[in-house]
């Protein structure tokens, strides 16, 4: 059960309503994480702004890979469900790739290096080793791209922390659920 107050539809501050309307348009519903964040429109705006900005720094499958790897390493059940759903339904990732990303790997060698590196960033609280940097560089990532990987990881850590503190009730359909209707 969630531990922070989620405003009802009638209680959502006016400053958060347009954002929630956009989320509803994207997902077809307002996921619990966003509904809860609406209690503080400034926090909701920060999360949405950061999520919008990271869309510019890495390709979508790499961002999804980081999100899955970080959420698994951080033990965030809500974010694991959300990112599995988004990766599958909006990002076109196969179930096997989603599971590999959670495990710090991928069928794509470059994304496997990113997944491992993102998990090392979480596990070491950013105190990665020279070998960790060498591995991601060896996969062809530049220092500028490594900065982007760390930035994306930290944005997902923020939502992991918010959802872990709240113990947000998982309301995300299982990945693939939208495609199972006959």
């Amino acid at each position: 059960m969630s531990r922070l107050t989620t405003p009802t539809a009638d209680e959502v501050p006016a400053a958060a309503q347009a954002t929630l309307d956009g989320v509803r348009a994207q997902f077809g519903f307002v996921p619990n994480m966003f509904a809860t964040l609406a209690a503080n429109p400034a926090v909701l705006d920060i999360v949405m702004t950061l999520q919008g900005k990271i869309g510019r720094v890495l390709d979508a499958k790499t961002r999804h890979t980081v999100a899955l790897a970080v959420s698994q390493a951080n033990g965030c059940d809500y974010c694991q469900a959300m990112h599995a759903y988004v990766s599958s339904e909006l990002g076109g990732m196969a179930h096997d790739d989603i599971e590999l990303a959670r495990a710090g790997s991928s069928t794509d060698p470059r994304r496997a290096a990113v997944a491992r590196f993102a998990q090392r960033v979480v596990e070491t609280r950013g105190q990665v080793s020279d070998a960790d940097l060498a591995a991601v560089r060896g996969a062809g990532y530049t220092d500028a791209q490594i900065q982007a990987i760390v930035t994306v990881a930290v944005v997902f850590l923020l939502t992991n922390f918010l959802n872990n503190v709240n113990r947000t009730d998982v309301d995300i359909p299982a990945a693939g659920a939208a495609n199972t209707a006959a």
Side-chain angles (χ1 to χ4, degrees):
M1 173 174 234
S2 295
R3 300 189 300 179
L4 301 176
T5 303
T6 300
T8 66
D10 294 337
E11 297 169 336
V12 170
Q17 194 58 58
T19 302
L20 291 185
D21 290 344
V23 169
R24 185 177 293 105
Q26 180 182 9
F27 290 100
F29 70 105
V30 177
N32 283 339
M33 176 184 82
F34 298 105
T36 300
L37 294 180
N40 187 329
V43 172
L44 178 62
D45 184 55
I46 289 166
V47 168
M48 297 302 291
T49 298
L50 289 172
Q51 289 184 347
K53 298 279 185 187
I54 63 172
R56 299 186 210 159
V57 298
L58 296 168
D59 67 90
K61 283 190 178 178
T62 301
R63 287 191 318 274
H64 294 313
T65 298
V66 171
L68 290 158
V70 166
S71 297
Q72 179 72 32
N74 214 19
C76 183
D77 294 337
Y78 190 87
C79 292
Q80 289 178 56
M82 172 65 88
H83 294 302
Y85 180 79
V86 170
S87 297
S88 171
E89 304 305 316
L90 305 177
M93 285 180 73
H95 176 75
D96 290 348
D97 278 340
I98 291 169
E99 292 306 310
L100 285 169
R102 285 179 169 159
S105 190
S106 174
T107 57
D108 176 271
R110 283 179 48 89
R111 282 201 312 272
V114 166
R116 280 191 301 277
F117 183 73
Q119 285 188 334
R120 291 296 300 147
V121 168
V122 172
E123 293 163 359
T124 66
R125 294 185 173 106
Q127 300 290 327
V128 297
S129 68
D130 290 342
D132 294 327
L133 278 173
V136 76
R137 284 180 177 137
Y141 288 95
T142 66
D143 287 357
Q145 290 169 318
I146 292 168
Q147 289 176 10
I149 294 163
V150 172
T151 299
V152 171
V154 170
V155 169
F156 291 121
L157 278 173
L158 171 62
T159 55
N160 288 175
F161 286 5
L162 288 165
N163 286 299
N164 281 343
V165 165
N166 186 35
R167 293 187 187 150
T168 307
D169 292 328
V170 176
D171 61 340
I172 307 302
N179 295 330
T180 59

